[in-house]
Amino acid sequence: MITSKTIANGILRALAIVVALYLLLMFVYKIQSVITYIFIAILLSMMSNPIIAFLKNKLKFPHIAAVITALVLFVCIMAGFIMLFVPLIITQSENLSLLDTVKLEQDVTNLINQVNTYFSNHDIDTEQLVKEADLTSKLNFNFIPEFIDSLVGILSGFGIGFASVLFITFFFLKDQKQMDTAFRKLLPDAHEEKILISIRKIDNLLSRYFIGLFLQITVLFILYLIVLLIFGVQNALIIAFITALLNIIPYIGPLIATVLVIVLTMLGLMGPETQGEMLSTTLYVVIGYSIAQVIDNNVSAPIIFSNSVKSHPLEIFLVILISGLVFGILGMIVAVPIYTAIKVVAKEFLPKNAFVKMLTKDL
């Protein structure tokens, strides 16, 4: 028999669960950077294992020496990427000193007037619409130097994160056997096999996902590079690499890449002899980038999301959207790998659940 006391206890229990989940999410939100560092360290450890195995088995390196050598190799690769950015930073810093925002606003105003004249010649009255919108008074390109300053701040924070990831990865690799043994001891005997099977499936799916993501970035890099070279943009190789790499941020990454290429293209055309070509060249580059992103969205992305992690595009979109709202950009980056791992575990431990069966029917 249901009594008021039973109902009250049920409400209190549900409230306690909701509060506990809220506190857990808040805690995870506060330490999201640390979770991201650990996640990247795990991926880096997985990538380092073949190198370490080669050094130990073929070259007879001691374990510690192999671990240090593998990490030094990654540091050298990262240093090489950073050195690629130095010419870009120097060039754009010089161009910033030539940036005349007033002249730039005048050029945009002239462009609007030319567009207005074109439509007027075709019996389309846009002059009144332009006046009502008051576009010219709202134009302000002072955001460009501020954007570059914020980008520098992000890069400085990246250095701290990179050092943290290396430190965590070193101990993951150094004490890998001890961690593996301790992990197996912690597993309950009744579920040990299911957990190990889940780990193997997760490793396989995520390996396919990251290989696909690498191929996607490579294709975008090539397409972006072609566009930039066609229109003679300075530092085309570096800009193409940076904007292609931004694609690791789902959905928002391409938008950031477009804004960034607009800024860098305009800064690259700050000289007096190229000032007049600035707007037209930037417009052509944006069109080229848009075409490349259309190709990516309709070819590369569906293959990666649908085939590598066995998830529907709408399902992936919702997961990324929720992760982005809760955890920000870092949440969007790790959303697909974490969601894939959760699906694999759910299929192993809840195979008869109707909802789980629906989500994992392709796994």
Side-chain angles (χ1 to χ4, degrees), residues 48-245:
S48 301
N49 281 330
I51 300 174
I52 293 173
F54 173 80
L55 294 174
K56 291 171 63 177
N57 298 331
K58 300 295 183 180
L59 303 181
K60 306 302 179 183
F61 274 42
H63 180 68
I64 297 296
V67 169
I68 294 175
T69 303
L71 291 180
V72 168
L73 177 61
F74 279 111
V75 171
C76 291
I77 293 173
M78 185 58 65
F81 285 142
I82 293 175
M83 292 304 295
L84 284 175
F85 301 152
V86 172
L88 178 63
I89 295 172
I90 294 175
T91 301
Q92 304 312 335
S93 298
E94 294 174 350
N95 290 334
L96 276 176
S97 62
L98 302 174
L99 183 60
D100 185 353
T101 57
V102 175
K103 178 64 167 61
L104 187 56
E105 291 175 14
Q106 292 175 351
D107 289 341
V108 176
T109 302
N110 292 335
L111 178 63
I112 293 174
N113 292 334
Q114 291 175 13
V115 172
N116 179 60
T117 302
Y118 172 82
F119 282 109
S120 297
N121 292 336
H122 290 77
D123 299 325
I124 300 175
D125 186 11
T126 59
E127 185 175 355
Q128 186 63 31
L129 294 176
V130 173
K131 288 181 179 178
E132 291 177 359
D134 198 17
L135 293 176
T136 56
S137 65
K138 298 177 182 177
L139 292 173
N140 186 355
F141 288 88
N142 290 323
F143 76 93
I144 295 177
E146 296 173 2
F147 180 84
I148 298 297
D149 290 339
S150 64
L151 187 61
V152 172
I154 292 173
L155 292 176
S156 64
F158 171 79
I160 298 174
F162 183 66
S164 301
V165 168
L166 282 180
F167 185 79
I168 297 171
T169 304
F170 172 76
F171 284 101
F172 277 177
L173 294 172
K174 173 180 173 293
D175 302 323
Q176 188 174 38
K177 288 185 178 180
Q178 294 90 323
M179 289 184 177
D180 184 62
T181 302
F183 176 73
R184 287 177 177 269
K185 288 181 179 179
L186 292 174
L187 296 178
D189 295 336
H191 302 296
E192 180 178 354
E193 184 178 354
K194 290 182 178 180
I195 293 174
L196 295 177
I197 290 174
S198 298
I199 292 174
R200 286 195 292 269
K201 287 184 177 180
I202 292 170
D203 181 56
N204 177 53
L205 286 174
L206 292 187
S207 297
R208 294 169 57 185
Y209 170 75
F210 286 112
I211 290 173
L213 188 60
F214 173 77
L215 293 175
Q216 182 189 25
I217 291 174
T218 302
V219 170
L220 273 177
F221 168 72
I222 294 172
L223 293 176
Y224 288 166
L225 182 61
I226 291 173
V227 171
L228 296 175
L229 290 176
I230 288 175
F231 297 107
V233 177
Q234 295 181 16
N235 301 303
L237 182 67
I238 305 170
I239 295 175
F241 175 76
I242 295 174
T243 50
L245 194 61

